[in-house]
Amino acid sequence: MYHSKSTKYKALLFIAPFLACFLIFWLAPVLYGIWISLNDYKLSMGNLGFVGLENYKTIFDTGSVYHTQFMNALKNTFVFMAISVPPLVLISLGLALLIDNLPSKLKVFFRTIFFLSYAISVTAVSAIFLWLFNANGGFVNNLLMTMNITNSPVNWLTEQPYAWFVVLISTVWWTIGFNMLLFVNALDEVDGALYEAADLDGANSFKKFLYVTLPEIRNVAFFVIITTVIASFNLYGQTMLITNGGPARSTTSLIMNINHTVFSGNQLGIGSAMAIVMGVIMTVVTGLQYWANLKINSDGPKRKRKGRSKKSEDPALVNAPLPYQVDGKETMKK
Amino acid sequence: MRAKKIKTIILVAVASILAVMFIMPLVWMIFTSFKTLGESMSSSALLPKNWTLINYINIFNGTSDAKMILWSLNTALVTALGTTLVIFVDVLAAYALARLNVAGKKLFLGIVVIALTIPGIVTLFPAFYLFRNFGLIDTYAPLILPYSAGTLGVFLIYNFLRSFPRELEEAAYIDGASQWQVLFKVIFPTIRPVVTTLGVITFLAIYNDYLWPSLVINSNEMKTLTLGVATLIQGSNFVNPGAMMASTVIATVPALLIFIWANKYFVKGVTNSGIK
């Protein structure tokens, strides 16, 4: 009755509202962005003509200022990735293991505490850490000076490596709860019988973690690493608001640089080309991680279990944009 | 047994210390908002020596450039409409894909999957330029509409429905229920948990979004709380930590309360959103 031919097209009506939104706010911008990147587009004057791949050449022309800025931002983003991904993955796993071993009544309480900062916007996080670490009148400097650890204020925000440290610590505080939650839920699902079997074999805690827990949460760990890498590509709010890209543009991220190119530089065409190059780099890095994961899967000991764990390898699911990929954390969350 | 008890006590102690460290920035934010300018600049103590409401009073009597009331109203409007829109279009689409025989279903699912893999940065600036071309900068439209293009919700609900048996719906059809009746009376109660999850995720995403609103909103009157706080950081509030923290408290508390309330839906839902 609801499978006849006429209902087949009637069913399209249910999809129509979403399809309209998707076409207007996703597909149209994607195609328009590609078109803009092939033209000499100025933000103030509009399209000054088709230039083919000229904007892309500019980005890769070593004599061009846009090249210098783009490569600097790319380097900074990779620096951030290198310093932020390991703690965001390892500390969150540590917290999850801690919570997993607590009595179940306390589990919920501590899980909520560690996940709390997830509900806070990047601008509020920045406001807090800006005033914790501000050189003049910041709480940390006041504290350090009262305790006579230092005589003069530390320039947390305007000197390296302090600036990266503040960006890192604010990011860890802001986003670690999300990774932790994914690990907590994964640990929840590990079959208790596996631990009992390991106990019978006389395994200690470390061995149990290595041979029982780790293989069981492998797919979730992979998912956490991928989303954390993607999120660190999208670094924006923290460096925009806490360090303003400084000192000497050393914390200017890729998105900050595109923003600067479009708005301060009036170069919408070049900025759009940069965004597409950035998108391609992100896709390649994500693809490489998949490849590495598949390779480890096929080379490593065959621990993969059938059924439940298979589901999580659906690439579409692993790539699902997470809520925190929408600002700063998308762009690092969010 | 005794060794196990000691182990538990140690673990709880460690967790408690970490928890205190974790909420310290929030505690500091709240206490600093009750400090005077002089004290907030020089204080090395958590608690204020002289409690003051001056930072909050200045916000609400209009002497500060923090338009917190206006920004709160904007945020309420934008998050309510944006979240409703996302749920509406996603539920209809996911229902059709999971239950009805839709023309071009495979193609559609393919597009949804591809869209999930393309980084958001690619759409950001062209979308801004499109809204500008249509004269919609500094309006509510760009703050509400674009979130509806996300495919995550369709995915979530589609997967949920696919794993749910159809018997109830078929029984309802046999009893002579119409498609809309089935949708509202049978499907909707079924998918409520996943819709709640999607609602909270979407609400927080819109509430906390900074980059996109910063592109499409220029006027102070149209800002959301999150964008407003960014302006305060870059503006005159920068010289007064107490005033800054008062604004941040006001901007943060609504999201925190909703988050704590929705925590139980969220905790499982987040996992479902990506992994399962």
Side-chain angles (χ1 to χ4, degrees), chain A residues 3 28 42 57 63 108 114 121 130 196 230 242 277 306 318:
Chain A
H3 277 173
K42 298 278 190 283
K57 280 185 193 153
V108 179
F114 293 131
S121 70
L130 193 68
E196 282 162 28
I230 290 175
I242 299 178
V277 172
K306 284 178 189 135
V318 174

Side-chain angles (χ1 to χ4, degrees), chain A:
Chain A
M1 81 205 100
Y2 53 100
H3 277 173
S4 72
K5 191 136 196 189
S6 72
T7 57
K8 190 167 170 173
Y9 292 96
K10 214 176 110 192
L12 275 176
L13 283 177
F14 285 93
I15 298 194
F18 174 75
L19 199 59
C21 294
F22 180 77
L23 293 178
I24 297 169
F25 300 114
W26 192 84
L27 192 62
V30 168
L31 298 176
Y32 195 48
I34 295 172
W35 170 249
I36 290 175
S37 78
L38 300 172
N39 286 275
D40 182 13
Y41 249 102
K42 298 278 190 283
L43 189 62
S44 57
M45 288 172 283
N47 194 353
L48 301 181
F50 186 78
V51 293
L53 295 173
E54 209 52 49
N55 290 331
Y56 292 91
K57 280 185 193 153
T58 307
I59 299 172
F60 293 106
D61 171 10
T62 48
S64 145
V65 62
Y66 297 106
H67 171 79
T68 319
Q69 288 175 356
F70 183 80
M71 294 315 278
N72 174 53
L74 186 64
K75 188 200 84 194
N76 295 341
T77 304
F78 276 118
V79 168
F80 177 70
M81 195 179 295
I83 59 173
S84 72
V85 174
L88 282 171
V89 174
L90 295 176
I91 300 176
S92 61
L93 178 58
L95 282 178
L97 285 168
L98 177 64
I99 287 175
D100 195 52
N101 283 300
L102 292 176
S104 54
K105 272 185 188 162
L106 292 173
K107 259 186 198 178
V108 179
F109 173 73
F110 282 107
R111 196 182 57 194
T112 310
I113 298 267
F114 293 131
F115 194 36
L116 207 58
S117 51
Y118 179 78
I120 298 169
S121 70
V122 68
T123 61
V125 171
S126 300
I128 294 170
F129 280 83
L130 193 68
W131 271 113
L132 280 172
F133 286 97
N134 203 36
N136 177 25
F139 185 71
V140 171
N141 272 348
N142 290 346
L143 208 59
L144 290 176
M145 277 152 60
T146 316
M147 292 159 73
N148 281 323
I149 294 174
T150 169
N151 296 320
S152 54
V154 180
N155 290 318
W156 292 105
L157 309 177
T158 51
E159 244 177 71
Q160 291 291 20
Y162 305 125
W164 271 133
F165 173 76
V166 176
V167 170
L168 176 67
I169 196 171
S170 59
T171 307
V172 167
W173 183 71
W174 183 30
T175 62
I176 205 160
F178 186 80
N179 287 354
M180 176 217 67
L181 190 63
L182 292 174
F183 278 129
V184 166
N185 285 343
L187 291 171
D188 251 2
E189 300 231 327
V190 177
D191 192 346
L194 291 171
Y195 290 120
E196 282 162 28
D199 277 335
L200 289 179
D201 290 344
N204 60 25
S205 306
F206 180 70
K207 279 199 166 152
K208 272 193 277 186
F209 172 73
L210 207 60
Y211 295 111
V212 180
T213 315
L214 215 51
E216 287 293 308
I217 62 166
R218 230 193 56 119
N219 285 313
V220 173
F222 171 66
F223 178 79
V224 167
I225 293 170
I226 277 210
T227 50
T228 309
V229 166
I230 290 175
S232 62
F233 261 113
N234 288 317
L235 173 68
Y236 178 74
Q238 306 96 302
T239 49
M240 182 76 194
L241 295 169
I242 299 178
T243 58
N244 199 12
R249 298 180 76 86
S250 61
T251 57
T252 302
S253 68
L254 278 169
I255 294 180
M256 271 185 85
N257 180 54
I258 295 170
N259 210 349
H260 176 80
T261 308
V262 170
F263 287 98
S264 308
N266 194 23
Q267 298 287 0
L268 186 63
I270 295 175
S272 297
M274 284 175 176
I276 289 170
V277 172
M278 179 182 162
V280 170
I281 295 172
M282 288 173 75
T283 311
V284 168
V285 169
T286 314
L288 281 175
Q289 284 175 283
Y290 269 111
W291 178 78
N293 186 48
L294 282 178
K295 201 145 168 57
I296 296 166
N297 241 342
S298 58
D299 291 354
K302 298 259 181 279
R303 296 185 190 286
K304 230 171 67 185
R305 292 190 312 147
K306 284 178 189 135
R308 192 183 72 209
S309 60
K310 221 174 146 192
K311 254 186 177 172
S312 55
E313 275 155 36
D314 183 337
L317 295 186
V318 174
N319 256 330
L322 291 154
Y324 86 121
Q325 291 173 253
V326 179
D327 181 85
K329 293 180 214 179
E330 169 190 44
T331 47
M332 184 78 210
K333 191 128 19 172
K334 209 169 309 116

Side-chain angles (χ1 to χ4, degrees), chain B residues 148-164:
Chain B
S148 62
T151 47
L152 177 70
V154 178
F155 224 93
L156 274 177
I157 303 168
Y158 172 75
N159 277 338
F160 189 89
L161 266 177
R162 236 180 23 164
S163 64
F164 202 85

